[in-house]
Amino acid sequence: MTRRLTRAQDGRPAAPIRIVHLGLGNFFRAHEAMYTERASDADAWGIAAFTGRSTAMAEAMAAQDGLYELIVQNPEGNEYEVISSISATHSGQDVAAFVGYLADPAVVIVSSTITEAGYLPGPDGGVDLAHEAIQADVEALASGRTLDVTTAPGKFIAGLLARRAADAGPITFLPCDNVPDNGHMVAGVLSSLATAVDPTLVAWMNDNVSFATTMVDRITPSISSEARQALADDEGIEDPAAVATEPFTEWVIAGSFPGGRPDWESAGAVFVDDITPHELRKLWLLNGSHSLMAYAATVVGHATVFEAISDPTVAGWVNDWRDVAARHLPLPADEVDAYRAALLERFSNPRMKDQLSRIAADGSVKIPIRIVPALNADRAAGREPIGAERAVAAWVLHTRGLGAPINDAKAGVVAEIGQGSLAESVTKAADYLGIDDAAARASLLALATELEAKAA
């Protein structure tokens, strides 16, 4: 017999809501919500979490008082922990609730895990004002129909307008997505949208809104049926909101929190002045390796990270890429080497069922930041960054329908790149990614041709 979680039997009482989070996904539940749960002052910091498009997770968690099981999949066996830090869950479509929270002086942090695409950034560092949904939100916000917004930036601005009207005090935005300098990115998006809606809001934001930058690291795949069954067998719990993750976790934060924040240090978070070296280390060595495998390893028939890294050929490709990335990381060589060794151990955890098809999503926004900077830097230094170019070549094949299924926020861009001959696709991809070196383009075509011949 199994049962559902309930605060009458599990966890601790719901804490007062002081954090609002957008993006009630697996990673958030395995990372920020866990750090908040383990903070020394957790009983003072509850989270109101909103889903993205789907309402299913909010409904599932509401049925069990916001609780869920965190399953840490150690190679030798699972550990289980009930997470109680989420005090309320809502559909992402419930704009009224979202705006209401931001108008409450008790709420002092807005965090998010919506991927870079969810912020709808434009090429100039602001929001993409040409995007149809952003244009609709600008019209709704400017005309006072704040509850009609549909995008994440639109919801944030609707909430800030309500907070200013309520004179609710300072607030900090805490993006937790794999984007370089994510706090600066969100600041640019929201400032430009505020300018388009109500320029006077920008001055208020300058005085009352801060933007923290984060580096987040924890591999969190979709939960497997085996993990769910283990939870039922070991703990007697049936939990549709359970999340399975690896033992490793890291959270590095830079920025100010004028309204206060949880004691995340007591849970292992690290606060620094300069986050750039930390985020580049993770973005290139971990995320870049993930992207390489998501495109190249699926072409040769692998479905998970564990399967891919267990293939000596793929492991060699990953090592080739990390050699390129390591040359351009502003960190001591011994620290880079230690992180590479730790990553190999993490990827080799047989209990982790991390699907490469999940990682392959949104390559049009991931490849430009995970792979291309080191590729171009290496070419500019007169080297031949085969490890980086193989990742781009594999993504070109992905746009042409090989390997993992296409699931991309810029589906039109991907479709256009994938049309025509392989040589034409390589040229279009290089143009899109800003890879101008002629030798690099020739290498991309040669590597794509070679990899295409290996297709399973």
Side-chain angles (χ1 to χ4, degrees):
M1 292 290 291
T2 58
R3 65 178 181 85
R4 296 286 291 272
L5 295 170
T6 170
R7 289 191 194 259
Q9 293 179 262
D10 309 287
R12 54 182 173 78
I17 293 170
R18 304 202 64 198
I19 302 171
V20 172
H21 183 84
L22 184 57
L24 184 53
N26 293 334
F27 179 77
F28 159 69
R29 301 202 307 283
H31 197 266
E32 180 189 331
M34 181 216 71
Y35 278 94
T36 305
E37 173 67 22
R38 296 181 180 178
S40 63
D41 53 357
D43 58 353
W45 289 92
I47 303 170
F50 288 75
T51 63
R53 302 181 190 90
S54 172
T55 63
M57 186 54 65
E59 293 167 354
M61 291 186 65
Q64 49 196 43
D65 301 328
L67 302 176
Y68 64 96
E69 288 273 3
L70 179 68
I71 306 171
V72 177
Q73 296 181 304
N74 298 294
E76 64 275 11
N78 293 337
E79 296 178 32
Y80 303 97
E81 180 180 3
V82 175
I83 303 297
S84 309
S85 56
I86 300 177
S87 297
T89 60
H90 300 270
S91 162
Q93 300 170 29
D94 190 352
V95 180
F98 188 86
V99 169
Y101 282 123
L102 265 67
D104 182 352
V107 171
V108 293
I109 298 172
V110 183
S111 56
S112 48
T113 46
I114 56 177
T115 77
E116 182 181 16
Y119 299 100
L120 297 173
D124 61 350
V127 75
D128 183 2
L129 291 171
H131 195 286
E132 183 178 353
I134 289 293
Q135 291 178 345
D137 279 3
V138 168
E139 181 182 355
L141 291 163
S143 61
R145 295 181 290 105
T146 56
L147 301 187
D148 290 344
V149 295
T150 62
T151 69
K155 293 171 188 176
F156 292 147
I157 293 299
L160 290 178
L161 287 168
R163 191 172 188 86
R164 179 179 67 172
D167 194 20
I171 194 166
T172 298
F173 279 81
L174 183 71
C176 296
D177 291 283
N178 288 318
V179 181
D181 201 3
N182 51 28
H184 183 263
M185 183 269 291
V186 175
V189 165
L190 296 192
S191 294
S192 66
L193 183 55
T195 300
V197 170
D198 177 0
T200 67
L201 182 62
V202 178
W204 179 86
M205 289 170 60
N206 290 338
D207 293 334
N208 292 276
V209 181
S210 63
F211 296 88
T213 296
T214 67
M215 188 282 285
V216 296
D217 191 356
R218 193 171 211 183
I219 298 170
T220 308
S222 299
I223 188 170
S224 66
S225 57
E226 293 90 342
R228 291 193 186 279
Q229 188 60 52
L231 175 62
D233 293 342
D234 297 344
E235 301 291 299
I237 297 295
E238 178 187 353
D239 180 8
V243 60
T245 191
E246 65 170 335
F248 182 93
T249 182
E250 187 176 23
W251 196 12
V252 184
I253 306 170
S256 62
F257 294 79
R261 60 169 176 81
D263 180 22
W264 282 318
E265 297 100 323
S266 64
V270 176
F271 285 79
V272 299
D273 294 327
D274 182 10
I275 206 167
T276 300
H278 304 274
E279 65 185 10
L280 283 180
R281 181 197 68 192
K282 189 260 181 168
L283 188 69
W284 290 359
L285 294 180
L286 188 154
N287 299 125
S289 299
H290 267 170
S291 289
L292 165 64
M293 289 188 287
Y295 306 121
T298 55
V299 167
V300 297
H302 298 303
T304 69
V305 170
F306 174 72
E307 289 176 20
I309 205 66
S310 300
D311 179 337
T313 297
V314 177
W317 293 345
V318 170
N319 199 49
D320 289 345
W321 153 244
R322 290 177 177 165
D323 285 346
V324 175
R327 289 195 285 266
H328 303 282
L329 285 171
L331 289 166
D334 58 346
E335 182 176 337
V336 173
D337 291 343
Y339 190 69
R340 290 177 67 167
L343 284 178
L344 181 59
E345 181 179 351
R346 294 164 68 187
F347 287 2
S348 301
N349 184 342
R351 290 182 176 270
M352 296 291 289
K353 309 292 185 182
D354 204 358
Q355 296 292 319
L356 293 171
S357 58
R358 175 191 70 84
I359 298 168
D362 295 331
S364 66
V365 294
K366 292 175 179 177
I367 290 292
I369 59 175
R370 295 181 176 186
I371 302 293
V372 174
L375 186 161
N376 282 339
D378 226 38
R379 279 289 175 184
R383 301 188 184 96
E384 296 183 357
I386 300 301
E389 289 162 355
R390 183 179 286 112
V392 175
W395 180 66
V396 173
L397 295 182
H398 171 71
T399 70
R400 296 174 62 81
L402 286 181
I406 295 173
N407 176 18
D408 202 290
K410 296 185 177 181
V413 170
V414 171
E416 172 60 26
I417 290 172
Q419 292 175 1
S421 68
L422 180 56
E424 290 170 334
S425 290
V426 166
T427 297
K428 286 184 284 188
D431 289 343
Y432 171 74
L433 296 171
I435 301 172
D436 299 325
D437 185 274
R441 290 181 174 225
S443 177
L444 292 178
L445 180 56
L447 289 165
T449 302
E450 177 185 304
L451 187 57
E452 186 179 44
K454 298 178 183 291

PDB file of all heavy atoms in Angstrom, residues 281-304:
ATOM      1  N   ARG A 281      32.937  28.032 -16.177  1.00  0.00           N
ATOM      2  CA  ARG A 281      33.376  26.656 -15.911  1.00  0.00           C
ATOM      3  C   ARG A 281      32.233  25.675 -16.087  1.00  0.00           C
ATOM      4  O   ARG A 281      32.352  24.641 -16.747  1.00  0.00           O
ATOM      5  CB  ARG A 281      33.923  26.573 -14.480  1.00  0.00           C
ATOM      6  CG  ARG A 281      34.444  25.194 -14.080  1.00  0.00           C
ATOM      7  CD  ARG A 281      34.569  25.107 -12.570  1.00  0.00           C
ATOM      8  NE  ARG A 281      33.261  25.124 -11.932  1.00  0.00           N
ATOM      9  CZ  ARG A 281      33.066  25.281 -10.632  1.00  0.00           C
ATOM     10  NH1 ARG A 281      34.085  25.493  -9.823  1.00  0.00           N
ATOM     11  NH2 ARG A 281      31.850  25.275 -10.132  1.00  0.00           N
ATOM     12  N   LYS A 282      31.101  26.006 -15.499  1.00  0.00           N
ATOM     13  CA  LYS A 282      29.951  25.111 -15.575  1.00  0.00           C
ATOM     14  C   LYS A 282      29.305  25.131 -16.951  1.00  0.00           C
ATOM     15  O   LYS A 282      28.968  24.097 -17.532  1.00  0.00           O
ATOM     16  CB  LYS A 282      28.945  25.496 -14.495  1.00  0.00           C
ATOM     17  CG  LYS A 282      27.806  24.496 -14.329  1.00  0.00           C
ATOM     18  CD  LYS A 282      26.558  24.943 -15.025  1.00  0.00           C
ATOM     19  CE  LYS A 282      25.451  23.930 -14.805  1.00  0.00           C
ATOM     20  NZ  LYS A 282      24.138  24.448 -15.218  1.00  0.00           N
ATOM     21  N   LEU A 283      29.140  26.330 -17.508  1.00  0.00           N
ATOM     22  CA  LEU A 283      28.447  26.472 -18.784  1.00  0.00           C
ATOM     23  C   LEU A 283      29.187  25.738 -19.897  1.00  0.00           C
ATOM     24  O   LEU A 283      28.573  25.080 -20.741  1.00  0.00           O
ATOM     25  CB  LEU A 283      28.298  27.954 -19.122  1.00  0.00           C
ATOM     26  CG  LEU A 283      27.425  28.304 -20.326  1.00  0.00           C
ATOM     27  CD1 LEU A 283      25.962  28.003 -20.048  1.00  0.00           C
ATOM     28  CD2 LEU A 283      27.585  29.774 -20.674  1.00  0.00           C
ATOM     29  N   TRP A 284      30.506  25.853 -19.900  1.00  0.00           N
ATOM     30  CA  TRP A 284      31.273  25.219 -20.973  1.00  0.00           C
ATOM     31  C   TRP A 284      31.543  23.744 -20.689  1.00  0.00           C
ATOM     32  O   TRP A 284      31.269  22.889 -21.537  1.00  0.00           O
ATOM     33  CB  TRP A 284      32.592  25.963 -21.176  1.00  0.00           C
ATOM     34  CG  TRP A 284      32.437  27.324 -21.780  1.00  0.00           C
ATOM     35  CD1 TRP A 284      31.267  27.921 -22.168  1.00  0.00           C
ATOM     36  CD2 TRP A 284      33.474  28.264 -22.048  1.00  0.00           C
ATOM     37  NE1 TRP A 284      31.510  29.174 -22.659  1.00  0.00           N
ATOM     38  CE2 TRP A 284      32.864  29.411 -22.604  1.00  0.00           C
ATOM     39  CE3 TRP A 284      34.846  28.261 -21.863  1.00  0.00           C
ATOM     40  CZ2 TRP A 284      33.592  30.535 -22.991  1.00  0.00           C
ATOM     41  CZ3 TRP A 284      35.581  29.375 -22.251  1.00  0.00           C
ATOM     42  CH2 TRP A 284      34.962  30.503 -22.803  1.00  0.00           C
ATOM     43  N   LEU A 285      32.060  23.432 -19.521  1.00  0.00           N
ATOM     44  CA  LEU A 285      32.496  22.061 -19.277  1.00  0.00           C
ATOM     45  C   LEU A 285      31.323  21.096 -19.081  1.00  0.00           C
ATOM     46  O   LEU A 285      31.346  19.977 -19.587  1.00  0.00           O
ATOM     47  CB  LEU A 285      33.431  22.004 -18.077  1.00  0.00           C
ATOM     48  CG  LEU A 285      34.772  22.724 -18.257  1.00  0.00           C
ATOM     49  CD1 LEU A 285      35.615  22.603 -16.990  1.00  0.00           C
ATOM     50  CD2 LEU A 285      35.539  22.174 -19.458  1.00  0.00           C
ATOM     51  N   LEU A 286      30.305  21.503 -18.329  1.00  0.00           N
ATOM     52  CA  LEU A 286      29.159  20.618 -18.126  1.00  0.00           C
ATOM     53  C   LEU A 286      28.121  20.800 -19.238  1.00  0.00           C
ATOM     54  O   LEU A 286      27.806  19.865 -19.973  1.00  0.00           O
ATOM     55  CB  LEU A 286      28.518  20.865 -16.759  1.00  0.00           C
ATOM     56  CG  LEU A 286      27.426  19.860 -16.340  1.00  0.00           C
ATOM     57  CD1 LEU A 286      27.326  19.783 -14.822  1.00  0.00           C
ATOM     58  CD2 LEU A 286      26.044  20.195 -16.903  1.00  0.00           C
ATOM     59  N   ASN A 287      27.578  22.019 -19.345  1.00  0.00           N
ATOM     60  CA  ASN A 287      26.498  22.235 -20.315  1.00  0.00           C
ATOM     61  C   ASN A 287      26.974  22.043 -21.748  1.00  0.00           C
ATOM     62  O   ASN A 287      26.236  21.507 -22.589  1.00  0.00           O
ATOM     63  CB  ASN A 287      25.891  23.618 -20.134  1.00  0.00           C
ATOM     64  CG  ASN A 287      25.282  23.815 -18.755  1.00  0.00           C
ATOM     65  OD1 ASN A 287      25.623  24.752 -18.048  1.00  0.00           O
ATOM     66  ND2 ASN A 287      24.388  22.935 -18.346  1.00  0.00           N
ATOM     67  N   GLY A 288      28.190  22.490 -22.040  1.00  0.00           N
ATOM     68  CA  GLY A 288      28.711  22.287 -23.385  1.00  0.00           C
ATOM     69  C   GLY A 288      28.873  20.811 -23.700  1.00  0.00           C
ATOM     70  O   GLY A 288      28.554  20.361 -24.814  1.00  0.00           O
ATOM     71  N   SER A 289      29.348  20.019 -22.730  1.00  0.00           N
ATOM     72  CA  SER A 289      29.456  18.573 -22.927  1.00  0.00           C
ATOM     73  C   SER A 289      28.080  17.951 -23.130  1.00  0.00           C
ATOM     74  O   SER A 289      27.904  17.051 -23.958  1.00  0.00           O
ATOM     75  CB  SER A 289      30.139  17.929 -21.710  1.00  0.00           C
ATOM     76  OG  SER A 289      31.443  18.422 -21.536  1.00  0.00           O
ATOM     77  N   HIS A 290      27.113  18.405 -22.366  1.00  0.00           N
ATOM     78  CA  HIS A 290      25.745  17.927 -22.537  1.00  0.00           C
ATOM     79  C   HIS A 290      25.248  18.191 -23.965  1.00  0.00           C
ATOM     80  O   HIS A 290      24.663  17.313 -24.604  1.00  0.00           O
ATOM     81  CB  HIS A 290      24.813  18.610 -21.537  1.00  0.00           C
ATOM     82  CG  HIS A 290      24.624  17.835 -20.280  1.00  0.00           C
ATOM     83  ND1 HIS A 290      23.993  18.349 -19.171  1.00  0.00           N
ATOM     84  CD2 HIS A 290      24.963  16.560 -19.943  1.00  0.00           C
ATOM     85  CE1 HIS A 290      23.955  17.434 -18.210  1.00  0.00           C
ATOM     86  NE2 HIS A 290      24.537  16.348 -18.655  1.00  0.00           N
ATOM     87  N   SER A 291      25.461  19.410 -24.450  1.00  0.00           N
ATOM     88  CA  SER A 291      24.987  19.731 -25.793  1.00  0.00           C
ATOM     89  C   SER A 291      25.694  18.890 -26.848  1.00  0.00           C
ATOM     90  O   SER A 291      25.063  18.395 -27.801  1.00  0.00           O
ATOM     91  CB  SER A 291      25.185  21.226 -26.088  1.00  0.00           C
ATOM     92  OG  SER A 291      24.282  22.009 -25.324  1.00  0.00           O
ATOM     93  N   LEU A 292      26.984  18.715 -26.700  1.00  0.00           N
ATOM     94  CA  LEU A 292      27.719  17.869 -27.634  1.00  0.00           C
ATOM     95  C   LEU A 292      27.111  16.472 -27.681  1.00  0.00           C
ATOM     96  O   LEU A 292      26.834  15.934 -28.764  1.00  0.00           O
ATOM     97  CB  LEU A 292      29.188  17.785 -27.206  1.00  0.00           C
ATOM     98  CG  LEU A 292      30.035  16.676 -27.858  1.00  0.00           C
ATOM     99  CD1 LEU A 292      30.156  16.914 -29.355  1.00  0.00           C
ATOM    100  CD2 LEU A 292      31.393  16.584 -27.208  1.00  0.00           C
ATOM    101  N   MET A 293      26.879  15.872 -26.521  1.00  0.00           N
ATOM    102  CA  MET A 293      26.312  14.522 -26.491  1.00  0.00           C
ATOM    103  C   MET A 293      24.870  14.495 -26.986  1.00  0.00           C
ATOM    104  O   MET A 293      24.447  13.540 -27.644  1.00  0.00           O
ATOM    105  CB  MET A 293      26.398  13.957 -25.072  1.00  0.00           C
ATOM    106  CG  MET A 293      27.811  13.623 -24.641  1.00  0.00           C
ATOM    107  SD  MET A 293      27.889  12.748 -23.052  1.00  0.00           S
ATOM    108  CE  MET A 293      27.486  14.072 -21.930  1.00  0.00           C
ATOM    109  N   ALA A 294      24.111  15.546 -26.675  1.00  0.00           N
ATOM    110  CA  ALA A 294      22.709  15.579 -27.093  1.00  0.00           C
ATOM    111  C   ALA A 294      22.564  15.490 -28.596  1.00  0.00           C
ATOM    112  O   ALA A 294      21.596  14.897 -29.107  1.00  0.00           O
ATOM    113  CB  ALA A 294      22.036  16.849 -26.580  1.00  0.00           C
ATOM    114  N   TYR A 295      23.511  16.063 -29.330  1.00  0.00           N
ATOM    115  CA  TYR A 295      23.436  16.038 -30.789  1.00  0.00           C
ATOM    116  C   TYR A 295      24.298  14.933 -31.393  1.00  0.00           C
ATOM    117  O   TYR A 295      23.819  14.145 -32.215  1.00  0.00           O
ATOM    118  CB  TYR A 295      23.811  17.413 -31.344  1.00  0.00           C
ATOM    119  CG  TYR A 295      22.990  18.512 -30.735  1.00  0.00           C
ATOM    120  CD1 TYR A 295      23.579  19.571 -30.049  1.00  0.00           C
ATOM    121  CD2 TYR A 295      21.598  18.457 -30.768  1.00  0.00           C
ATOM    122  CE1 TYR A 295      22.819  20.552 -29.452  1.00  0.00           C
ATOM    123  CE2 TYR A 295      20.830  19.432 -30.169  1.00  0.00           C
ATOM    124  CZ  TYR A 295      21.441  20.476 -29.510  1.00  0.00           C
ATOM    125  OH  TYR A 295      20.684  21.447 -28.902  1.00  0.00           O
ATOM    126  N   ALA A 296      25.550  14.808 -30.966  1.00  0.00           N
ATOM    127  CA  ALA A 296      26.439  13.820 -31.578  1.00  0.00           C
ATOM    128  C   ALA A 296      26.124  12.396 -31.124  1.00  0.00           C
ATOM    129  O   ALA A 296      26.099  11.471 -31.950  1.00  0.00           O
ATOM    130  CB  ALA A 296      27.892  14.161 -31.256  1.00  0.00           C
ATOM    131  N   ALA A 297      25.910  12.194 -29.839  1.00  0.00           N
ATOM    132  CA  ALA A 297      25.687  10.834 -29.342  1.00  0.00           C
ATOM    133  C   ALA A 297      24.349  10.270 -29.784  1.00  0.00           C
ATOM    134  O   ALA A 297      24.213   9.055 -29.970  1.00  0.00           O
ATOM    135  CB  ALA A 297      25.797  10.812 -27.823  1.00  0.00           C
ATOM    136  N   THR A 298      23.344  11.119 -29.957  1.00  0.00           N
ATOM    137  CA  THR A 298      22.059  10.608 -30.441  1.00  0.00           C
ATOM    138  C   THR A 298      22.143  10.222 -31.917  1.00  0.00           C
ATOM    139  O   THR A 298      21.420   9.329 -32.363  1.00  0.00           O
ATOM    140  CB  THR A 298      20.939  11.638 -30.224  1.00  0.00           C
ATOM    141  OG1 THR A 298      21.294  12.886 -30.837  1.00  0.00           O
ATOM    142  CG2 THR A 298      20.673  11.868 -28.740  1.00  0.00           C
ATOM    143  N   VAL A 299      23.010  10.876 -32.667  1.00  0.00           N
ATOM    144  CA  VAL A 299      23.196  10.489 -34.068  1.00  0.00           C
ATOM    145  C   VAL A 299      23.706   9.049 -34.161  1.00  0.00           C
ATOM    146  O   VAL A 299      23.313   8.291 -35.055  1.00  0.00           O
ATOM    147  CB  VAL A 299      24.163  11.461 -34.782  1.00  0.00           C
ATOM    148  CG1 VAL A 299      24.613  10.899 -36.132  1.00  0.00           C
ATOM    149  CG2 VAL A 299      23.484  12.812 -35.004  1.00  0.00           C
ATOM    150  N   VAL A 300      24.569   8.663 -33.206  1.00  0.00           N
ATOM    151  CA  VAL A 300      25.119   7.305 -33.255  1.00  0.00           C
ATOM    152  C   VAL A 300      24.336   6.325 -32.378  1.00  0.00           C
ATOM    153  O   VAL A 300      24.793   5.206 -32.135  1.00  0.00           O
ATOM    154  CB  VAL A 300      26.613   7.289 -32.860  1.00  0.00           C
ATOM    155  CG1 VAL A 300      27.429   8.093 -33.854  1.00  0.00           C
ATOM    156  CG2 VAL A 300      26.831   7.812 -31.447  1.00  0.00           C
ATOM    157  N   GLY A 301      23.156   6.747 -31.908  1.00  0.00           N
ATOM    158  CA  GLY A 301      22.224   5.792 -31.320  1.00  0.00           C
ATOM    159  C   GLY A 301      22.096   5.756 -29.822  1.00  0.00           C
ATOM    160  O   GLY A 301      21.410   4.879 -29.282  1.00  0.00           O
ATOM    161  N   HIS A 302      22.707   6.677 -29.092  1.00  0.00           N
ATOM    162  CA  HIS A 302      22.601   6.674 -27.631  1.00  0.00           C
ATOM    163  C   HIS A 302      21.438   7.544 -27.163  1.00  0.00           C
ATOM    164  O   HIS A 302      21.148   8.582 -27.759  1.00  0.00           O
ATOM    165  CB  HIS A 302      23.898   7.155 -26.997  1.00  0.00           C
ATOM    166  CG  HIS A 302      25.080   6.291 -27.312  1.00  0.00           C
ATOM    167  ND1 HIS A 302      25.112   4.947 -27.017  1.00  0.00           N
ATOM    168  CD2 HIS A 302      26.270   6.568 -27.914  1.00  0.00           C
ATOM    169  CE1 HIS A 302      26.260   4.432 -27.410  1.00  0.00           C
ATOM    170  NE2 HIS A 302      26.984   5.397 -27.969  1.00  0.00           N
ATOM    171  N   ALA A 303      20.815   7.132 -26.056  1.00  0.00           N
ATOM    172  CA  ALA A 303      19.630   7.845 -25.566  1.00  0.00           C
ATOM    173  C   ALA A 303      19.871   8.613 -24.272  1.00  0.00           C
ATOM    174  O   ALA A 303      19.167   9.578 -23.993  1.00  0.00           O
ATOM    175  CB  ALA A 303      18.468   6.866 -25.359  1.00  0.00           C
ATOM    176  N   THR A 304      20.842   8.194 -23.456  1.00  0.00           N
ATOM    177  CA  THR A 304      21.072   8.839 -22.165  1.00  0.00           C
ATOM    178  C   THR A 304      22.534   9.266 -22.030  1.00  0.00           C
ATOM    179  O   THR A 304      23.410   8.783 -22.750  1.00  0.00           O
ATOM    180  CB  THR A 304      20.728   7.908 -20.989  1.00  0.00           C
ATOM    181  OG1 THR A 304      21.681   6.832 -20.942  1.00  0.00           O
ATOM    182  CG2 THR A 304      19.315   7.334 -21.118  1.00  0.00           C
TER     183      THR A 304
END
